[in-house]
PDB file of all heavy atoms in Angstrom:
ATOM      1  N   LEU K  33      27.625   5.537  67.238  1.00  0.00           N
ATOM      2  CA  LEU K  33      26.165   5.728  67.155  1.00  0.00           C
ATOM      3  C   LEU K  33      25.856   6.803  68.222  1.00  0.00           C
ATOM      4  O   LEU K  33      26.362   6.819  69.338  1.00  0.00           O
ATOM      5  CB  LEU K  33      25.427   4.494  67.525  1.00  0.00           C
ATOM      6  CG  LEU K  33      25.503   3.430  66.495  1.00  0.00           C
ATOM      7  CD1 LEU K  33      24.729   2.049  67.007  1.00  0.00           C
ATOM      8  CD2 LEU K  33      24.884   3.768  65.131  1.00  0.00           C
ATOM      9  N   ILE K  34      25.001   7.708  67.886  1.00  0.00           N
ATOM     10  CA  ILE K  34      24.488   8.663  68.788  1.00  0.00           C
ATOM     11  C   ILE K  34      22.965   8.682  68.753  1.00  0.00           C
ATOM     12  O   ILE K  34      22.300   8.410  67.738  1.00  0.00           O
ATOM     13  CB  ILE K  34      25.043  10.138  68.532  1.00  0.00           C
ATOM     14  CG1 ILE K  34      24.613  10.662  67.169  1.00  0.00           C
ATOM     15  CG2 ILE K  34      26.499  10.200  68.799  1.00  0.00           C
ATOM     16  CD1 ILE K  34      24.829  12.107  66.995  1.00  0.00           C
ATOM     17  N   LEU K  35      22.363   9.065  69.915  1.00  0.00           N
ATOM     18  CA  LEU K  35      20.944   9.169  70.019  1.00  0.00           C
ATOM     19  C   LEU K  35      20.700  10.708  69.982  1.00  0.00           C
ATOM     20  O   LEU K  35      21.230  11.512  70.719  1.00  0.00           O
ATOM     21  CB  LEU K  35      20.414   8.696  71.313  1.00  0.00           C
ATOM     22  CG  LEU K  35      18.967   8.191  71.416  1.00  0.00           C
ATOM     23  CD1 LEU K  35      18.651   7.175  70.366  1.00  0.00           C
ATOM     24  CD2 LEU K  35      18.789   7.716  72.911  1.00  0.00           C
ATOM     25  N   THR K  36      19.823  11.131  68.886  1.00  0.00           N
ATOM     26  CA  THR K  36      19.637  12.630  68.734  1.00  0.00           C
ATOM     27  C   THR K  36      18.123  12.835  68.358  1.00  0.00           C
ATOM     28  O   THR K  36      17.392  11.910  68.286  1.00  0.00           O
ATOM     29  CB  THR K  36      20.473  13.167  67.678  1.00  0.00           C
ATOM     30  OG1 THR K  36      20.395  14.505  67.589  1.00  0.00           O
ATOM     31  CG2 THR K  36      20.237  12.544  66.350  1.00  0.00           C
ATOM     32  N   GLU K  37      17.685  14.088  68.366  1.00  0.00           N
ATOM     33  CA  GLU K  37      16.404  14.429  67.991  1.00  0.00           C
ATOM     34  C   GLU K  37      16.167  14.227  66.405  1.00  0.00           C
ATOM     35  O   GLU K  37      17.190  14.406  65.817  1.00  0.00           O
ATOM     36  CB  GLU K  37      16.086  15.876  68.288  1.00  0.00           C
ATOM     37  CG  GLU K  37      15.877  16.095  69.769  1.00  0.00           C
ATOM     38  CD  GLU K  37      15.216  17.429  70.066  1.00  0.00           C
ATOM     39  OE1 GLU K  37      14.641  18.146  69.194  1.00  0.00           O
ATOM     40  OE2 GLU K  37      15.268  17.744  71.265  1.00  0.00           O
ATOM     41  N   PRO K  38      14.977  13.898  66.003  1.00  0.00           N
ATOM     42  CA  PRO K  38      14.734  13.790  64.532  1.00  0.00           C
ATOM     43  C   PRO K  38      15.051  15.160  63.878  1.00  0.00           C
ATOM     44  O   PRO K  38      15.060  16.242  64.556  1.00  0.00           O
ATOM     45  CB  PRO K  38      13.297  13.471  64.477  1.00  0.00           C
ATOM     46  CG  PRO K  38      12.914  12.761  65.768  1.00  0.00           C
ATOM     47  CD  PRO K  38      13.799  13.575  66.712  1.00  0.00           C
ATOM     48  N   LYS K  39      15.402  15.128  62.568  1.00  0.00           N
ATOM     49  CA  LYS K  39      15.732  16.276  61.801  1.00  0.00           C
ATOM     50  C   LYS K  39      14.591  17.388  61.694  1.00  0.00           C
ATOM     51  O   LYS K  39      14.902  18.608  61.692  1.00  0.00           O
ATOM     52  CB  LYS K  39      16.128  15.920  60.314  1.00  0.00           C
ATOM     53  CG  LYS K  39      17.429  15.109  60.313  1.00  0.00           C
ATOM     54  CD  LYS K  39      17.834  14.785  58.796  1.00  0.00           C
ATOM     55  CE  LYS K  39      17.181  13.481  58.457  1.00  0.00           C
ATOM     56  NZ  LYS K  39      17.638  13.010  57.152  1.00  0.00           N
ATOM     57  N   THR K  40      13.375  16.956  61.690  1.00  0.00           N
ATOM     58  CA  THR K  40      12.319  17.815  61.469  1.00  0.00           C
ATOM     59  C   THR K  40      11.205  17.707  62.586  1.00  0.00           C
ATOM     60  O   THR K  40      11.148  16.685  63.251  1.00  0.00           O
ATOM     61  CB  THR K  40      11.521  17.572  60.141  1.00  0.00           C
ATOM     62  OG1 THR K  40      10.929  16.360  60.078  1.00  0.00           O
ATOM     63  CG2 THR K  40      12.551  17.752  58.980  1.00  0.00           C
ATOM     64  N   GLU K  41      10.499  18.719  62.835  1.00  0.00           N
ATOM     65  CA  GLU K  41       9.349  18.696  63.874  1.00  0.00           C
ATOM     66  C   GLU K  41       8.349  17.612  63.432  1.00  0.00           C
ATOM     67  O   GLU K  41       7.836  17.073  64.364  1.00  0.00           O
ATOM     68  CB  GLU K  41       8.753  20.070  63.928  1.00  0.00           C
ATOM     69  CG  GLU K  41       9.560  21.021  64.715  1.00  0.00           C
ATOM     70  CD  GLU K  41       9.893  20.601  66.211  1.00  0.00           C
ATOM     71  OE1 GLU K  41       8.882  20.096  66.918  1.00  0.00           O
ATOM     72  OE2 GLU K  41      11.040  20.513  66.577  1.00  0.00           O
ATOM     73  N   SER K  42       8.046  17.520  62.193  1.00  0.00           N
ATOM     74  CA  SER K  42       7.049  16.536  61.746  1.00  0.00           C
ATOM     75  C   SER K  42       7.493  15.038  61.974  1.00  0.00           C
ATOM     76  O   SER K  42       6.738  14.216  62.125  1.00  0.00           O
ATOM     77  CB  SER K  42       6.604  16.768  60.320  1.00  0.00           C
ATOM     78  OG  SER K  42       7.776  16.652  59.451  1.00  0.00           O
ATOM     79  N   SER K  43       8.847  14.836  62.111  1.00  0.00           N
ATOM     80  CA  SER K  43       9.245  13.510  62.414  1.00  0.00           C
ATOM     81  C   SER K  43       9.059  13.146  63.908  1.00  0.00           C
ATOM     82  O   SER K  43       8.970  12.094  64.243  1.00  0.00           O
ATOM     83  CB  SER K  43      10.733  13.409  62.217  1.00  0.00           C
ATOM     84  OG  SER K  43      11.105  13.605  60.743  1.00  0.00           O
ATOM     85  N   LYS K  44       8.897  14.239  64.764  1.00  0.00           N
ATOM     86  CA  LYS K  44       8.446  13.923  66.191  1.00  0.00           C
ATOM     87  C   LYS K  44       6.869  13.737  66.086  1.00  0.00           C
ATOM     88  O   LYS K  44       6.189  14.695  65.707  1.00  0.00           O
ATOM     89  CB  LYS K  44       8.797  15.108  67.050  1.00  0.00           C
ATOM     90  CG  LYS K  44      10.201  15.426  67.087  1.00  0.00           C
ATOM     91  CD  LYS K  44      10.469  16.644  67.909  1.00  0.00           C
ATOM     92  CE  LYS K  44      11.901  17.147  67.752  1.00  0.00           C
ATOM     93  NZ  LYS K  44      12.198  18.434  68.403  1.00  0.00           N
ATOM     94  N   ARG K  45       6.513  12.594  66.558  1.00  0.00           N
ATOM     95  CA  ARG K  45       5.114  12.263  66.465  1.00  0.00           C
ATOM     96  C   ARG K  45       4.689  11.120  67.369  1.00  0.00           C
ATOM     97  O   ARG K  45       5.484  10.548  67.937  1.00  0.00           O
ATOM     98  CB  ARG K  45       4.700  11.877  65.072  1.00  0.00           C
ATOM     99  CG  ARG K  45       5.562  10.594  64.465  1.00  0.00           C
ATOM    100  CD  ARG K  45       5.653  10.532  62.998  1.00  0.00           C
ATOM    101  NE  ARG K  45       6.219   9.391  62.487  1.00  0.00           N
ATOM    102  CZ  ARG K  45       7.546   9.134  62.383  1.00  0.00           C
ATOM    103  NH1 ARG K  45       8.439  10.085  62.766  1.00  0.00           N
ATOM    104  NH2 ARG K  45       8.067   8.052  61.934  1.00  0.00           N
ATOM    105  N   THR K  46       3.418  11.020  67.535  1.00  0.00           N
ATOM    106  CA  THR K  46       2.791   9.937  68.318  1.00  0.00           C
ATOM    107  C   THR K  46       2.021   9.071  67.340  1.00  0.00           C
ATOM    108  O   THR K  46       1.272   9.476  66.438  1.00  0.00           O
ATOM    109  CB  THR K  46       1.688  10.614  69.332  1.00  0.00           C
ATOM    110  OG1 THR K  46       2.408  11.500  70.124  1.00  0.00           O
ATOM    111  CG2 THR K  46       1.123   9.471  70.267  1.00  0.00           C
ATOM    112  N   ILE K  47       2.181   7.795  67.543  1.00  0.00           N
ATOM    113  CA  ILE K  47       1.626   6.718  66.625  1.00  0.00           C
ATOM    114  C   ILE K  47       0.781   5.795  67.486  1.00  0.00           C
ATOM    115  O   ILE K  47       1.232   5.336  68.527  1.00  0.00           O
ATOM    116  CB  ILE K  47       2.707   5.957  65.952  1.00  0.00           C
ATOM    117  CG1 ILE K  47       3.632   6.923  65.069  1.00  0.00           C
ATOM    118  CG2 ILE K  47       2.126   4.838  65.037  1.00  0.00           C
ATOM    119  CD1 ILE K  47       4.784   6.299  64.447  1.00  0.00           C
ATOM    120  N   PRO K  48      -0.446   5.505  66.972  1.00  0.00           N
ATOM    121  CA  PRO K  48      -1.317   4.567  67.752  1.00  0.00           C
ATOM    122  C   PRO K  48      -0.661   3.140  67.634  1.00  0.00           C
ATOM    123  O   PRO K  48      -0.270   2.848  66.588  1.00  0.00           O
ATOM    124  CB  PRO K  48      -2.769   4.836  67.189  1.00  0.00           C
ATOM    125  CG  PRO K  48      -2.437   5.315  65.939  1.00  0.00           C
ATOM    126  CD  PRO K  48      -1.161   6.062  65.933  1.00  0.00           C
ATOM    127  N   ILE K  49      -0.991   2.445  68.645  1.00  0.00           N
ATOM    128  CA  ILE K  49      -0.549   0.984  68.644  1.00  0.00           C
ATOM    129  C   ILE K  49      -1.819   0.114  68.583  1.00  0.00           C
ATOM    130  O   ILE K  49      -2.681   0.225  69.442  1.00  0.00           O
ATOM    131  CB  ILE K  49       0.200   0.541  70.004  1.00  0.00           C
ATOM    132  CG1 ILE K  49       1.574   1.458  70.015  1.00  0.00           C
ATOM    133  CG2 ILE K  49       0.639  -0.878  69.834  1.00  0.00           C
ATOM    134  CD1 ILE K  49       2.237   1.274  71.373  1.00  0.00           C
ATOM    135  N   PRO K  50      -1.888  -0.831  67.680  1.00  0.00           N
ATOM    136  CA  PRO K  50      -3.176  -1.655  67.542  1.00  0.00           C
ATOM    137  C   PRO K  50      -3.221  -2.503  68.927  1.00  0.00           C
ATOM    138  O   PRO K  50      -2.209  -2.894  69.405  1.00  0.00           O
ATOM    139  CB  PRO K  50      -2.923  -2.483  66.355  1.00  0.00           C
ATOM    140  CG  PRO K  50      -1.926  -1.725  65.485  1.00  0.00           C
ATOM    141  CD  PRO K  50      -1.085  -0.975  66.402  1.00  0.00           C
ATOM    142  N   GLU K  51      -4.483  -2.897  69.150  1.00  0.00           N
ATOM    143  CA  GLU K  51      -4.598  -3.686  70.414  1.00  0.00           C
ATOM    144  C   GLU K  51      -3.795  -4.908  70.386  1.00  0.00           C
ATOM    145  O   GLU K  51      -3.243  -5.377  71.389  1.00  0.00           O
ATOM    146  CB  GLU K  51      -6.118  -3.990  70.625  1.00  0.00           C
ATOM    147  CG  GLU K  51      -6.287  -4.695  72.011  1.00  0.00           C
ATOM    148  CD  GLU K  51      -7.911  -4.797  72.235  1.00  0.00           C
ATOM    149  OE1 GLU K  51      -8.612  -4.136  71.554  1.00  0.00           O
ATOM    150  OE2 GLU K  51      -8.224  -5.646  73.107  1.00  0.00           O
ATOM    151  N   TYR K  52      -3.792  -5.692  69.263  1.00  0.00           N
ATOM    152  CA  TYR K  52      -3.099  -6.952  69.194  1.00  0.00           C
ATOM    153  C   TYR K  52      -1.578  -6.691  69.379  1.00  0.00           C
ATOM    154  O   TYR K  52      -0.866  -7.534  69.988  1.00  0.00           O
ATOM    155  CB  TYR K  52      -3.341  -7.666  67.921  1.00  0.00           C
ATOM    156  CG  TYR K  52      -2.631  -7.066  66.753  1.00  0.00           C
ATOM    157  CD1 TYR K  52      -1.406  -7.511  66.274  1.00  0.00           C
ATOM    158  CD2 TYR K  52      -3.154  -6.112  65.955  1.00  0.00           C
ATOM    159  CE1 TYR K  52      -0.683  -6.955  65.174  1.00  0.00           C
ATOM    160  CE2 TYR K  52      -2.510  -5.549  64.859  1.00  0.00           C
ATOM    161  CZ  TYR K  52      -1.291  -5.999  64.476  1.00  0.00           C
ATOM    162  OH  TYR K  52      -0.697  -5.495  63.370  1.00  0.00           O
ATOM    163  N   MET K  53      -1.045  -5.538  68.918  1.00  0.00           N
ATOM    164  CA  MET K  53       0.402  -5.238  69.088  1.00  0.00           C
ATOM    165  C   MET K  53       0.674  -4.941  70.550  1.00  0.00           C
ATOM    166  O   MET K  53       1.732  -5.251  70.993  1.00  0.00           O
ATOM    167  CB  MET K  53       0.789  -4.213  68.156  1.00  0.00           C
ATOM    168  CG  MET K  53       2.338  -3.889  68.167  1.00  0.00           C
ATOM    169  SD  MET K  53       3.516  -5.277  67.860  1.00  0.00           S
ATOM    170  CE  MET K  53       3.048  -5.472  66.170  1.00  0.00           C
ATOM    171  N   ALA K  54      -0.142  -4.152  71.173  1.00  0.00           N
ATOM    172  CA  ALA K  54      -0.007  -3.854  72.598  1.00  0.00           C
ATOM    173  C   ALA K  54       0.045  -5.047  73.380  1.00  0.00           C
ATOM    174  O   ALA K  54       0.897  -5.211  74.268  1.00  0.00           O
ATOM    175  CB  ALA K  54      -1.099  -2.914  72.947  1.00  0.00           C
ATOM    176  N   GLU K  55      -0.705  -6.053  73.067  1.00  0.00           N
ATOM    177  CA  GLU K  55      -0.711  -7.276  73.834  1.00  0.00           C
ATOM    178  C   GLU K  55       0.651  -8.101  73.577  1.00  0.00           C
ATOM    179  O   GLU K  55       1.138  -8.668  74.584  1.00  0.00           O
ATOM    180  CB  GLU K  55      -1.936  -8.220  73.356  1.00  0.00           C
ATOM    181  CG  GLU K  55      -3.229  -7.776  73.781  1.00  0.00           C
ATOM    182  CD  GLU K  55      -4.435  -8.368  73.205  1.00  0.00           C
ATOM    183  OE1 GLU K  55      -4.231  -9.496  72.510  1.00  0.00           O
ATOM    184  OE2 GLU K  55      -5.560  -8.016  73.382  1.00  0.00           O
ATOM    185  N   ILE K  56       1.109  -8.044  72.489  1.00  0.00           N
ATOM    186  CA  ILE K  56       2.433  -8.670  72.198  1.00  0.00           C
ATOM    187  C   ILE K  56       3.514  -7.958  72.944  1.00  0.00           C
ATOM    188  O   ILE K  56       4.342  -8.648  73.638  1.00  0.00           O
ATOM    189  CB  ILE K  56       2.708  -8.698  70.649  1.00  0.00           C
ATOM    190  CG1 ILE K  56       1.822  -9.615  69.905  1.00  0.00           C
ATOM    191  CG2 ILE K  56       4.155  -9.093  70.435  1.00  0.00           C
ATOM    192  CD1 ILE K  56       1.812  -9.608  68.462  1.00  0.00           C
ATOM    193  N   LEU K  57       3.448  -6.581  72.866  1.00  0.00           N
ATOM    194  CA  LEU K  57       4.482  -5.835  73.498  1.00  0.00           C
ATOM    195  C   LEU K  57       4.382  -5.997  75.082  1.00  0.00           C
ATOM    196  O   LEU K  57       5.437  -6.017  75.678  1.00  0.00           O
ATOM    197  CB  LEU K  57       4.366  -4.273  73.206  1.00  0.00           C
ATOM    198  CG  LEU K  57       4.771  -3.917  71.683  1.00  0.00           C
ATOM    199  CD1 LEU K  57       4.262  -2.434  71.452  1.00  0.00           C
ATOM    200  CD2 LEU K  57       6.175  -4.097  71.516  1.00  0.00           C
ATOM    201  N   GLN K  58       3.329  -6.162  75.577  1.00  0.00           N
ATOM    202  CA  GLN K  58       3.098  -6.307  77.049  1.00  0.00           C
ATOM    203  C   GLN K  58       3.799  -7.605  77.512  1.00  0.00           C
ATOM    204  O   GLN K  58       4.308  -7.654  78.608  1.00  0.00           O
ATOM    205  CB  GLN K  58       1.579  -6.405  77.318  1.00  0.00           C
ATOM    206  CG  GLN K  58       1.326  -6.513  78.823  1.00  0.00           C
ATOM    207  CD  GLN K  58       1.689  -5.233  79.547  1.00  0.00           C
ATOM    208  OE1 GLN K  58       1.277  -4.127  79.174  1.00  0.00           O
ATOM    209  NE2 GLN K  58       2.246  -5.309  80.656  1.00  0.00           N
ATOM    210  N   LYS K  59       3.844  -8.567  76.689  1.00  0.00           N
ATOM    211  CA  LYS K  59       4.585  -9.905  77.020  1.00  0.00           C
ATOM    212  C   LYS K  59       6.068  -9.698  77.151  1.00  0.00           C
ATOM    213  O   LYS K  59       6.743 -10.627  77.651  1.00  0.00           O
ATOM    214  CB  LYS K  59       4.101 -10.964  76.023  1.00  0.00           C
ATOM    215  CG  LYS K  59       2.690 -11.375  76.179  1.00  0.00           C
ATOM    216  CD  LYS K  59       2.341 -12.399  75.148  1.00  0.00           C
ATOM    217  CE  LYS K  59       0.751 -12.590  75.077  1.00  0.00           C
ATOM    218  NZ  LYS K  59       0.499 -13.653  74.056  1.00  0.00           N
ATOM    219  N   HIS K  60       6.550  -8.693  76.525  1.00  0.00           N
ATOM    220  CA  HIS K  60       8.046  -8.571  76.328  1.00  0.00           C
ATOM    221  C   HIS K  60       8.631  -7.262  77.030  1.00  0.00           C
ATOM    222  O   HIS K  60       9.715  -7.040  76.841  1.00  0.00           O
ATOM    223  CB  HIS K  60       8.422  -8.535  74.917  1.00  0.00           C
ATOM    224  CG  HIS K  60       8.026  -9.863  74.196  1.00  0.00           C
ATOM    225  ND1 HIS K  60       8.752 -10.937  74.282  1.00  0.00           N
ATOM    226  CD2 HIS K  60       6.956 -10.071  73.381  1.00  0.00           C
ATOM    227  CE1 HIS K  60       8.165 -11.950  73.502  1.00  0.00           C
ATOM    228  NE2 HIS K  60       7.080 -11.310  72.904  1.00  0.00           N
TER     229      HIS K  60
END
Side-chain angles (χ1 to χ4, degrees):
L33 290 178
I34 61 164
L35 204 56
T36 184
E37 287 195 12
K39 292 183 266 184
T40 64
E41 281 302 310
S42 58
S43 294
K44 299 174 190 174
R45 60 202 184 276
T46 302
I47 301 173
I49 300 172
E51 187 174 343
Y52 75 91
M53 182 58 67
E55 291 171 7
I56 292 169
L57 290 170
Q58 186 67 48
K59 294 175 186 175
H60 300 281

